[in-house]
Amino acid sequence: MKTTKKKVPVKKRNHPVPVKMYIEAFKKHFKCTEKDIEVKLCWDDGPLRIKFDDAVYEVDSHYDFIDHVKSMLTEQESAMHVPLNIWLEIEDGVHLEPDFWRHLLSELDNKEQQENLNLALNISRIAPDNSAFFWKILYQLGDIDLYPKSIIAAAKTYNFDVYTEELMEYLVADGDKYLTELEGGLFETVCLSDGQDTLSDDDTFYIYQVADDWEDC
């Protein structure tokens, strides 16, 4: 096994997981040995990349994945990647809450965003499915900032932990669709503690295929 580490800014994790556990999860799924793989630590105390049989995979711990989902609810660049069809399952009519509008209006950049927001709201009011139409219109307007800003406003309004849990469940359930960077790419959940009475979050890992950007990692 060859291991390399790229110099990156340190990002302290609440639940750092030993690198050897990421590797053990990968070996368990692919039934390979450490001699068969090349490992690259692209982040401090976070996910790692593994090259195996000319393919590149990311291995996330349970806590890495939670961090990723939380960023989708708090950071604009990540929030824009929240799948619309998943969001429609979990948003729970949050745009009808006054606090949602208070949070969102304070983040608008210009008059055009205000007009687009009013358009989405007015059209959705006469639609048979008010909530779904509101979010679909926001998503389809072509304003790349308004949809993620609305996601973040919703997460500030609704129960954040519930949103995190539900978004994570949907993403994991269809990880081959939403997380792999290749069509038909692999996504697997691996538990190192299989066969024991109690499964621990510490032993849960997610493996998914990513684009071959090994040199850029």
Side-chain angles (χ1 to χ4, degrees):
M1 178 185 70
K2 179 181 178 183
T3 302
T4 57
K5 183 172 181 178
K6 182 180 178 181
K7 292 182 179 180
V8 293
V10 174
K11 182 179 181 181
K12 185 177 181 180
R13 299 270 172 167
N14 292 325
H15 301 278
V17 177
V19 170
K20 66 180 181 179
M21 293 183 67
Y22 292 84
I23 296 173
E24 288 302 315
F26 190 89
K27 287 164 51 183
K28 178 178 180 179
H29 176 72
F30 285 99
K31 297 179 173 59
C32 61
T33 68
E34 292 188 19
K35 294 181 179 179
D36 301 321
I37 64 177
E38 184 176 354
V39 177
K40 183 171 286 190
L41 284 68
C42 300
W43 303 271
D44 287 314
D45 295 328
L48 53 81
R49 293 283 172 92
I50 294 181
K51 182 180 283 189
F52 174 65
D53 279 352
D54 297 323
V56 179
Y57 302 87
E58 181 165 320
V59 186
D60 290 7
S61 72
H62 176 77
Y63 303 109
D64 296 330
F65 206 92
I66 289 177
D67 285 345
H68 172 62
V69 172
K70 286 181 177 179
S71 74
M72 297 177 80
L73 296 170
T74 57
E75 300 173 12
Q76 189 170 323
E77 186 175 347
S78 298
M80 66 188 300
H81 298 296
V82 173
L84 176 63
N85 59 330
I86 291 180
W87 183 248
L88 294 179
E89 294 292 333
I90 69 174
E91 54 88 17
D92 200 26
V94 67
H95 82 287
L96 300 175
E97 298 293 332
D99 280 349
F100 169 81
W101 292 98
R102 178 172 59 83
H103 291 306
L104 180 54
L105 292 174
S106 67
E107 295 298 324
L108 298 185
D109 295 326
N110 51 56
K111 184 178 179 180
E112 182 179 0
Q113 287 189 342
Q114 176 72 66
E115 291 174 347
N116 285 336
L117 192 58
N118 288 336
L119 176 65
L121 181 61
N122 290 333
I123 293 177
S124 68
R125 280 173 173 166
I126 60 174
D129 189 341
N130 183 292
S131 291
F133 266 77
F134 175 77
W135 290 102
K136 286 178 180 178
I137 295 168
L138 283 187
Y139 189 83
Q140 296 169 358
L141 278 173
D143 186 324
I144 62 173
D145 293 331
L146 194 52
Y147 176 71
K149 285 183 177 182
S150 299
I151 295 285
I152 294 170
K156 291 178 179 178
T157 303
Y158 194 64
N159 187 309
F160 183 81
D161 290 338
V162 171
Y163 268 161
T164 300
E165 181 179 350
E166 292 183 346
L167 180 55
M168 182 168 179
E169 287 179 356
Y170 276 100
L171 289 173
V172 169
D174 288 311
D176 56 340
K177 178 179 179 181
Y178 297 116
L179 297 171
T180 63
E181 297 177 1
L182 302 174
E183 185 174 352
L186 172 141
F187 177 88
E188 293 290 342
T189 302
V190 178
C191 295
L192 291 177
S193 55
D194 279 352
Q196 299 183 16
D197 293 336
T198 303
L199 297 181
S200 169
D201 288 340
D202 293 335
D203 295 331
T204 302
F205 294 83
Y206 306 98
I207 301 172
Y208 49 99
Q209 197 167 356
V210 295
D212 190 359
D213 56 355
W214 188 254
E215 299 304 324
D216 297 329
C217 176

